[in-house]
Amino acid sequence: MNLELNGTNVIHESERQGKASSLFWPWCGANVSLLALSYGSFFLGFGISFWQATAAAILGTVLSFLLVGVSSLAGKKSNAPTMVLSRATFGVKGSMIPGFLSYLVFVGWEIVLISLATLATGTVFMRLGNLDHNTAMVIGFAIAVGLTVSAGVLGFAVIMRIQRVLTIVTIAMTGVYISLTFGEVDWTVISALPSGSAQGFIGAMIFGATGIGLGWVNAAADYSRYLPRSTSSKSVIGWTVFGASIVPITLVIYGAALSASTKDLSEAIAGDPIGALTTILPSWYLIIFALVAILGLVGGAILNLYSSGLTLISIGLPVKRHVAASIDAVLMLMGAIYFVWIADDFFFPFQGFLITLGVPIATWSAIFVTDVLMRKSYHETDLYKTNGRYGSWNVGSISVMVIGTFVGWGFVTNSFASWLSWQGYFLSLIGGKEGAWAYANLGVFFALVIGFVGYFLFARSSIAKQENA
């Protein structure tokens, strides 16, 4: 349980070890959360059938984690954290822009996951009736925070050990949950669900991509940077995509089947996405369920806290990695307390968070992935020098990101908070804010396309010059 001393530095050759298959554990552990079961209900909320939700879950999850897998190659190539490698794309100082947005995403997800673990624990003990609701939530809060902060602060080696255990235990206990609730699935009701529109299907697929995989692109290299550079690129991508996708796809599909079968469950999920799942469980399994919920959510929170600390250092905070992670932990605590004990609803703020930050992160992800595919190697010393080959500010990359974000926000609608009503200013071109395409979140798709195409067109020659310098 030693404290990791590496921060945003390049990992020394002597510390690069392991196989691509080792990436299975952190990515699977981070995505084995029972929240994916609730996503099944969210997918059906787009007005689509169970089979459409199944296809949307597979496509959205695999395609988004394919971006994560490609981004992982950057860590293998240079053995530096993701947001340090982003300096080759945006400039050493210019990378602070996507770095700050990534930091918001990491901290936001930390808050969401810890909040859900706390809410689920409270719901479990309220059903049991032998412990005060608030007391139960405080216990759940303490367990989730304790595990997350200890692993996130101690660092890589501890995370890799913990994620293996969390993955095995959580998958086993989730399997028990499925066996106990399978009788609630009514295939007659499920089959009777009418097919939805193409707009609804696309909206669900984009929601899955932003809510499941896209937010991990900015952390991808943080875990592959310890691999030897001789590691197979195909294996790095394959193990990342497989490890991250297999469990959430399974759980989203099963969650959609449960939600389609039980209307009351579908409605309850909006207020308490994890706790609502206890309503169809026998009482004897509730304590175990609370443990499953906490462990599954903690797996994702740990990776977010670790990467948020690295990101905070990469954008200029002059502290050690474990100090940065501790600062993030304080923000996580404050945010979780607000969501659990002050906010009226979970789903609306969650949706608003995903859509608003999902657009610029989608643009950055496309730019970064394109750069990884085009760039053969990184000059490691210049990643830390403003007068090196990558420069201080890359105006071209920043411009592509601004354009992608501007266009993207114009094609999403966000009714989840009054202060976000300005989004969707281009939707009048395709039917307006109440039209058929209003909730398809096409802005995320446009942001990705602009990031890929825009960066490819302007960066081809500059990358060639950098690599020949």
Side-chain angles (χ1 to χ4, degrees), residues 386-428:
T386 57
N387 60 349
R389 69 189 66 194
Y390 304 124
S392 184
W393 298 86
N394 189 320
V395 177
S397 297
I398 294 170
S399 298
V400 172
M401 187 167 179
V402 170
I403 293 170
T405 300
F406 177 72
V407 173
W409 276 338
F411 284 98
V412 297
T413 184
N414 204 331
S415 60
F416 306 109
S418 58
W419 58 276
L420 295 174
S421 60
W422 53 269
Q423 295 175 5
Y425 38 81
F426 287 146
L427 283 173
S428 58

Side-chain angles (χ1 to χ4, degrees), residues 153 312-313 317 319-328:
V153 170
L312 194 57
I313 301 171
L317 188 69
V319 297
K320 298 291 186 181
R321 183 203 58 79
H322 62 279
V323 175
S326 300
I327 293 172
D328 298 340

Side-chain angles (χ1 to χ4, degrees), residues 22-159:
S22 65
L23 293 173
F24 174 87
W25 298 109
W27 290 119
C28 189
N31 291 281
V32 74
S33 165
L34 288 174
L35 178 60
L37 285 171
S38 299
Y39 269 42
S41 174
F42 299 160
F43 273 57
L44 295 178
F46 285 88
I48 58 178
S49 69
F50 169 77
W51 299 111
Q52 286 177 309
T54 297
I58 294 172
L59 289 173
T61 303
V62 171
L63 291 176
S64 59
F65 277 120
L66 185 60
L67 297 180
V68 178
V70 174
S71 297
S72 296
L73 297 180
K76 186 201 74 161
K77 289 179 182 179
S78 181
N79 304 95
T82 311
M83 298 317 299
V84 169
L85 295 168
S86 184
R87 295 172 180 176
T89 312
F90 287 86
V92 175
K93 289 187 176 179
S95 65
M96 289 190 294
I97 297 173
F100 177 70
L101 290 171
S102 295
Y103 182 72
L104 292 179
V105 170
F106 287 135
V107 175
W109 271 109
E110 291 162 23
I111 292 170
V112 165
L113 295 172
I114 296 301
S115 298
L116 286 173
T118 305
L119 288 169
T121 308
T123 302
V124 164
F125 283 100
M126 187 169 63
R127 272 202 63 197
L128 288 173
N130 58 358
L131 190 63
D132 176 72
H133 185 234
N134 274 326
T135 302
M137 289 201 297
V138 169
I139 293 173
F141 182 76
I143 295 173
V145 169
L147 287 171
T148 301
V149 173
S150 59
V153 170
L154 287 173
F156 181 82
V158 174
I159 288 173

Side-chain angles (χ1 to χ4, degrees), residues 4-15:
E4 180 190 6
L5 299 179
N6 288 313
T8 56
N9 56 286
V10 173
I11 302 302
H12 191 270
E13 192 70 41
S14 62
E15 296 184 66

Side-chain angles (χ1 to χ4, degrees), residues 155-460:
F156 181 82
V158 174
I159 288 173
M160 296 298 281
R161 293 194 198 103
I162 287 180
Q163 291 294 74
R164 182 187 292 263
V165 175
L166 288 179
T167 301
I168 295 171
V169 172
T170 308
I171 287 178
M173 292 192 292
T174 301
V176 176
Y177 176 89
I178 291 175
S179 67
L180 290 173
T181 59
F182 195 76
E184 299 291 330
V185 176
D186 189 333
W187 289 107
T188 302
V189 175
I190 292 171
S191 300
L193 281 178
S195 295
S197 64
Q199 295 93 329
F201 174 78
I202 292 172
M205 185 172 65
I206 293 175
F207 171 78
T210 55
I212 299 176
L214 203 57
W216 287 115
V217 175
N218 46 6
D222 298 353
Y223 305 96
S224 59
R225 66 185 179 134
Y226 277 89
L227 291 174
R229 296 186 189 183
S230 59
T231 307
S232 164
S233 295
K234 290 182 180 179
S235 296
V236 170
I237 295 174
W239 281 108
T240 298
V241 175
F242 176 67
S245 299
I246 185 65
V247 175
I249 287 174
T250 303
L251 293 183
V252 168
I253 293 172
Y254 184 66
L258 280 178
S259 297
S261 304
T262 312
K263 184 179 179 181
D264 291 342
L265 174 64
S266 181
E267 293 174 350
I269 283 174
D272 185 359
I274 305 295
L277 300 172
T278 66
T279 58
I280 54 176
L281 277 175
S283 297
W284 66 267
Y285 194 70
L286 289 177
I287 298 295
I288 301 175
F289 176 87
L291 183 60
V292 175
I294 291 174
L295 294 180
L297 294 164
V298 160
I302 287 172
L303 262 64
N304 276 291
L305 183 60
Y306 177 74
S307 290
S308 67
L310 289 173
T311 301
L312 194 57
I313 301 171
S314 75
I315 62 178
L317 188 69
V319 297
K320 298 291 186 181
R321 183 203 58 79
H322 62 279
V323 175
S326 300
I327 293 172
D328 298 340
V330 173
L331 296 177
M332 177 185 73
L333 290 173
M334 295 169 60
I337 289 171
Y338 169 78
F339 270 105
V340 172
W341 282 283
I342 300 175
D344 295 327
D345 190 87
F346 169 81
F347 181 62
F348 287 156
F350 177 57
Q351 274 275 61
F353 160 72
L354 281 182
I355 293 171
T356 302
L357 288 182
V359 169
I361 289 298
T363 312
W364 173 83
S365 299
I367 293 171
F368 186 72
V369 166
T370 305
D371 185 84
V372 172
L373 291 173
M374 295 171 65
R375 192 181 299 277
K376 295 179 181 179
S377 61
Y378 296 87
H379 192 279
E380 293 166 354
T381 303
D382 285 357
L383 289 170
Y384 302 88
K385 298 192 304 183
T386 57
N387 60 349
R389 69 189 66 194
Y390 304 124
S392 184
W393 298 86
N394 189 320
V395 177
S397 297
I398 294 170
S399 298
V400 172
M401 187 167 179
V402 170
I403 293 170
T405 300
F406 177 72
V407 173
W409 276 338
F411 284 98
V412 297
T413 184
N414 204 331
S415 60
F416 306 109
S418 58
W419 58 276
L420 295 174
S421 60
W422 53 269
Q423 295 175 5
Y425 38 81
F426 287 146
L427 283 173
S428 58
L429 300 174
I430 53 174
K433 291 188 177 183
E434 299 299 327
W437 289 100
Y439 295 96
N441 293 328
L442 283 178
V444 176
F445 172 75
F446 290 145
L448 285 167
V449 171
I450 290 171
F452 282 125
V453 177
Y455 186 74
F456 176 78
L457 291 176
F458 103 83
R460 286 181 298 175

